[in-house]
Amino acid sequence: MAQLEFFPFGVGHADEGVSFLIRMGPYQILLDCGLRDMALLPSDLPPADLVLCSHAHADHARGLLSLHRAFPQLPIYATEVTTQLLALNWTTERSQVPLFAQALPWRSPVEFQDGLTAELFPAGHLPGAAVILLTYTPRGSQARPYTVLYTGDFFLSNSRLVEGLRLEELRGLEPDVLIVEGSYGTARYPHRRQQENQVAERISQALSAERNSEGQVGHQSVLLPLPTLGLGQELLMLLRSHHLFTGRDVDIWVDGTIAAGCDAYLELLPHFPASVQNFARHQSLFWDERVRPRVRRLPSDQRETVGNTPCIVLTDLTSDWNAFFQPDTPWLVLLPQHLADPFLLPNSDQLTMETYLLAQHCDGPSTTQLIHNLRPQHVIFVHGNPNYLADLTGLEELHNRYHLHSPSAGSLVELPIGETFLQPAPPETTYEGELAELGTVVTFTLPDAITADSRWRGLADTGLIEARWQGQDLVLRGLTQRELLNQISDRISLSTDGTLKDSCATCRHCRGQRCWNPGSPLFNFKVPPEGYCPAYEPTPPDEKPVLDHPFPDQIEEN
């Protein structure tokens, strides 16, 4: 039996980075090198016979240059596009970093050593991102090949600049081992186009709103902090091609390394989907000061004044955003939902911070769909919050059919390959609590194992829980502030004179279209007049509510 082992130097928990060593017979292959701490790798000898990089994002690639300098003879391979984008992990001037990675073709097996081959398939997610199929065939006519498939970061849906992974290309491979990312755990998300529409609508609303009668924040500029590659360029294409912005008189400013990423994309245009190349034949993909909306580079000395008129700014996720925030310049800061680190905005009613979803990884159903199409013996979950990965390993539909692993860094996983499936021990996924019923009040007492979980704090930023029956099961779900704002309560009705009652429009705590009740889950949020929350208090007869739009048909959808 050939030796198959998996040893992770980093599995992508928090910001440690991703890097795995695969042992296949006599060979050792390093998959990705995104480690923050390069001391985790051996320093006296090359860590592997060769290195394969799935894509150019920092958490998969930032250690490659140090590795190359330490061991110049160690071969490093990636797709053509990835080899060109790697340098942006270390500089905005790509010419300053020599091309040290060798390009491999798509969908064509390449033999590196006797019996060891690799084949790359487009993974979606990012231009040049690859799914890597490793095959080792021992010598001897009776020997069977052994296969390992590594997804890297993958996405099944098409995005604006990248076509999604095609399942039909991988269906039926049945690798012995599947190493798959679980960034979003078991979560289920709306279709990609729906996500894009929601982001575009929110940005459009911020730009077009007007100041109210009290002079409080109305129209806002929009600040989008983003990583160098991927999401920033996707958002630019979204804003340039979405119907809410086509021909719109607004400036989109691109700051820092995101601009360098745009330049790199333009040089690689022949590698992009035909639809993107066709768009570029008729107008510039990114930079254009003639066609509205105008897309321009932002000089660093203009950061303090750019918000004087409503605009959109794409800046580095790690930059100092405070340079943009000046008195009397209202801003909406939109952070990617899965990249949003804790950040405190200055104490000002001119600033609002929200998150949005524009997924670049597969959700839970798509991840399980891939696994069932590939039918591996072993599944190794990496790249994600440990709790999310534990959720995936706890899925009964997977647990009953595959050997599931979710190792931490430094934990060796042996991967025996057999003809029969041995049922693994089920993971602990259920907890015992207490339920008490008194009249119309039901109280749940939860064990420490749940309340100590890092996800507990984010269950609901409103403190409100939605309970619903699902068959014989009672499902509890936290409600976010944005969900509350987008819901129209069944309790809202119109009085005989056509005005709203039992809603934010008639609540004593609603002033200037904002909720000022500290006891409300909507406190300090901009609320629509038709909104409602449990902390509603009617305006006393001797007070007049402050309303900008007293009637529902005058309200823009929030």
Side-chain angles (χ1 to χ4, degrees):
M1 179 178 292
Q3 180 187 32
L4 276 178
E5 291 182 342
F6 172 87
F7 183 84
F9 295 106
V11 290
H13 293 172
D15 61 351
E16 69 183 13
V18 171
S19 188
F20 324 116
L21 190 69
I22 298 295
R23 296 184 181 130
M24 302 183 75
Y27 303 120
Q28 298 189 107
I29 305 98
L30 189 69
L31 297 175
D32 286 340
C33 189
L35 299 173
R36 282 194 178 276
D37 183 6
M38 290 297 290
L40 296 172
L41 295 178
S43 58
D44 52 341
L45 293 172
D49 297 301
L50 60 102
V51 182
L52 290 165
C53 178
S54 65
H55 65 288
H57 275 153
D59 58 335
H60 292 255
R62 61 183 157 221
L64 288 175
L65 183 58
S66 296
L67 187 63
H68 169 68
R69 288 171 174 170
F71 306 104
Q73 302 306 314
L74 177 62
I76 299 173
Y77 301 97
T79 65
E80 176 68 31
V81 172
T82 298
T83 63
Q84 301 291 326
L85 295 177
L86 283 175
L88 291 173
N89 285 289
W90 309 288
T91 177
T92 57
E93 298 294 333
R94 291 182 298 135
S95 59
Q96 296 177 1
V97 178
L99 291 176
F100 57 85
Q102 303 175 51
L104 295 179
W106 291 115
R107 306 177 182 91
S108 180
V110 176
E111 186 170 11
F112 304 110
Q113 305 271 10
D114 185 18
L116 178 65
T117 64
E119 186 173 1
L120 307 185
F121 301 89
H125 178 69
L126 184 75
V131 170
I132 301 171
L133 175 65
L134 289 168
T135 304
Y136 168 60
T137 306
R139 292 182 179 179
S141 59
Q142 302 301 317
R144 67 171 291 249
Y146 294 87
T147 54
V148 174
L149 189 85
Y150 171 44
T151 65
D153 290 353
F154 75 105
F155 196 37
L156 296 184
S157 300
N158 291 338
S159 51
R160 294 278 166 168
L161 293 168
V162 188
E163 292 180 345
L165 183 151
R166 297 176 181 174
L167 268 181
E168 60 271 18
E169 291 191 333
L170 306 180
R171 187 175 291 118
L173 285 179
E174 298 191 21
D176 298 306
V177 179
L178 171 64
I179 307 169
V180 60
E181 65 140 330
S183 300
Y184 297 162
T186 57
R188 182 187 296 270
Y189 291 126
H191 189 274
R192 171 77 178 200
R193 285 295 180 263
Q194 184 178 347
Q195 298 174 31
E196 291 179 347
N197 288 334
Q198 290 173 347
V199 175
E201 289 167 4
R202 184 66 190 98
I203 295 174
S204 178
Q205 290 167 3
L207 294 172
S208 59
E210 298 180 356
R211 290 180 178 270
N212 59 38
S213 58
E214 293 184 350
Q216 294 172 316
V217 176
H219 65 76
Q220 299 167 297
S221 291
V222 180
L223 185 68
L224 296 159
L226 297 156
T228 301
L229 290 172
L231 196 53
Q233 290 78 26
E234 285 285 329
L235 278 167
L236 274 179
M237 273 296 290
L238 170 63
L239 295 173
R240 298 215 66 199
S241 55
H242 197 277
H243 68 90
L244 289 175
F245 292 91
T246 301
R248 189 164 181 171
D249 186 14
V250 65
D251 289 320
I252 303 174
W253 298 95
V254 187
D255 188 27
T257 64
I258 301 172
C262 292
D263 293 337
Y265 274 34
L266 292 175
E267 293 180 19
L268 297 167
L269 196 56
H271 297 276
F272 281 68
S275 59
V276 178
Q277 296 183 48
N278 185 58
F279 182 96
R281 290 190 188 100
H282 295 86
Q283 59 178 290
S284 175
L285 198 61
F286 298 123
W287 312 121
D288 200 327
E289 297 191 11
R290 298 170 301 171
V291 177
R292 301 175 179 178
R294 296 171 292 272
V295 182
R296 299 170 171 172
R297 301 174 192 271
L298 178 64
S300 58
D301 58 358
Q302 292 186 23
R303 291 178 179 173
E304 296 182 358
T305 59
V306 70
N308 290 340
T309 57
C311 64
I312 303 169
V313 177
L314 280 66
T315 190
D316 297 325
L317 193 65
T318 56
S319 67
D320 181 10
W321 310 339
N322 289 287
F324 297 98
F325 304 149
Q326 302 300 318
D328 300 322
T329 57
W331 285 92
L332 169 66
V333 180
L334 287 178
L335 285 167
Q337 181 173 309
H338 295 281
L339 295 175
D341 293 324
F343 182 83
L344 294 177
L345 294 175
N347 185 18
S348 170
D349 61 1
Q350 300 285 316
L351 303 175
T352 306
M353 183 166 68
E354 299 174 13
T355 61
Y356 64 91
L357 174 66
L358 196 57
Q360 291 184 291
H361 305 259
C362 280
D363 62 2
S366 295
T367 301
T368 56
Q369 180 185 9
L370 175 76
I371 294 171
H372 292 321
N373 273 272
L374 292 174
R375 300 172 61 187
Q377 289 198 34
H378 294 270
V379 180
I380 303 175
F381 289 111
V382 297
H383 196 289
N385 182 300
N387 294 315
Y388 290 1
L389 302 184
D391 291 343
L392 286 166
T393 58
L395 287 175
E396 186 174 351
E397 64 172 297
L398 300 180
H399 167 72
N400 291 334
R401 298 178 61 180
Y402 313 101
H403 294 280
L404 305 180
H405 313 270
S406 180
S408 57
S411 301
L412 177 66
V413 180
E414 296 183 351
L415 302 164
I417 304 302
E419 299 300 327
T420 59
F421 175 74
L422 300 176
Q423 179 68 34
E428 178 59 53
T429 58
T430 59
Y431 304 91
E432 292 186 359
E434 295 182 359
L435 182 148
E437 182 178 357
L438 181 61
T440 60
V441 177
V442 178
T443 302
F444 294 91
T445 303
L446 303 175
D448 293 341
I450 291 181
T451 56
D453 193 304
S454 60
R455 292 169 290 182
W456 177 251
R457 294 182 181 178
L459 178 64
D461 53 14
T462 61
L464 299 179
I465 300 293
E466 175 189 79
R468 60 183 175 84
W469 289 105
Q470 185 171 301
Q472 295 298 314
D473 298 326
L474 182 64
V475 178
L476 303 180
R477 186 178 70 88
L479 291 176
T480 66
Q481 290 178 320
R482 181 56 53 193
E483 283 180 291
L484 286 179
L485 290 175
N486 290 335
Q487 290 180 359
I488 299 178
S489 173
D490 292 337
R491 286 171 287 186
I492 298 175
S493 59
L494 293 175
S495 61
T496 54
D497 61 358
T499 58
L500 290 166
K501 64 178 183 179
D502 289 358
S503 66
C504 293
T506 58
C507 179
R508 66 180 304 174
H509 299 291
C510 181
R511 298 190 300 277
Q513 285 191 318
R514 284 187 179 270
C515 176
W516 297 100
N517 181 3
S520 168
L522 300 179
F523 175 61
N524 204 29
F525 253 59
K526 185 176 180 180
V527 294
E530 76 274 20
Y532 179 84
C533 79
Y536 169 79
E537 293 183 30
T539 302
D542 57 341
E543 292 184 21
K544 184 177 180 180
V546 180
L547 298 177
D548 296 313
H549 301 292
F551 299 103
D553 59 355
Q554 296 175 318
I555 302 166
E556 293 185 6
E557 182 182 356
N558 189 23

